[in-house]
Amino acid sequence: MYGWADLPVSEAADRAIALQEWKQAVAERMIAVDFRPHSHHWQIMAQIRATKHEAGTIEVGGTRTMCFMTSWGDGVFPVSADHDADGHLVQIRITLGDSQRQAQLEAMYDRFSLE
């Protein structure tokens, strides 16, 4: 992980602005500046980057939330829950990719291609 952690927001903002100005002064300087105060996004991405399976959980609004990386990009994925005979949750299934989704993804790329 790169950047500054545990700084007051004003100090981190000053550093980010100075870095952005340094980058823009010379076109060949290849650095990404992404100022994100310690938000839920920052918290979950720190976990994702630190784990072998690129997954993590955080609490948002009193609810435990899971986040993970996929090779399928951003999108809407069907989620199914399986319950036992007593109605207890035993499994959650998320369909990331199947032949229908692959066809839809390819159609979308074809439609929005810049070529």
Side-chain angles (χ1 to χ4, degrees):
M1 181 185 328
Y2 302 93
W4 307 289
D6 302 322
L7 290 179
V9 172
S10 62
E11 186 178 342
D14 289 344
R15 288 185 182 192
I17 290 166
L19 185 57
Q20 183 68 32
E21 290 171 350
W22 175 85
K23 174 188 174 185
Q24 291 174 339
V26 178
E28 292 79 23
R29 290 182 175 155
M30 304 296 284
I31 188 169
V33 179
D34 185 12
F35 178 70
R36 294 183 191 213
H38 296 188
S39 62
H40 288 114
H41 180 267
W42 179 87
Q43 293 170 6
I44 194 65
M45 290 308 294
Q47 284 186 38
I48 287 170
R49 291 182 184 116
T51 63
K52 177 182 175 182
H53 298 290
E54 297 182 310
T57 62
I58 58 171
E59 190 168 311
V60 178
T63 302
R64 178 63 66 202
T65 303
M66 181 185 77
C67 189
F68 58 93
M69 302 300 283
T70 77
S71 60
W72 288 87
D74 296 335
V76 177
F77 306 106
V79 177
S80 304
D82 296 329
H83 299 85
D84 65 15
D86 295 324
H88 297 104
L89 180 66
V90 294
Q91 176 174 280
I92 295 175
R93 291 178 285 122
I94 303 169
T95 304
L96 298 177
D98 55 21
S99 57
Q100 178 185 358
R101 294 208 169 293
Q102 183 66 35
Q104 289 172 334
L105 187 62
E106 289 172 2
M108 181 186 70
Y109 285 144
D110 290 344
R111 181 174 178 199
F112 294 106
S113 175
L114 298 177
E115 298 179 308

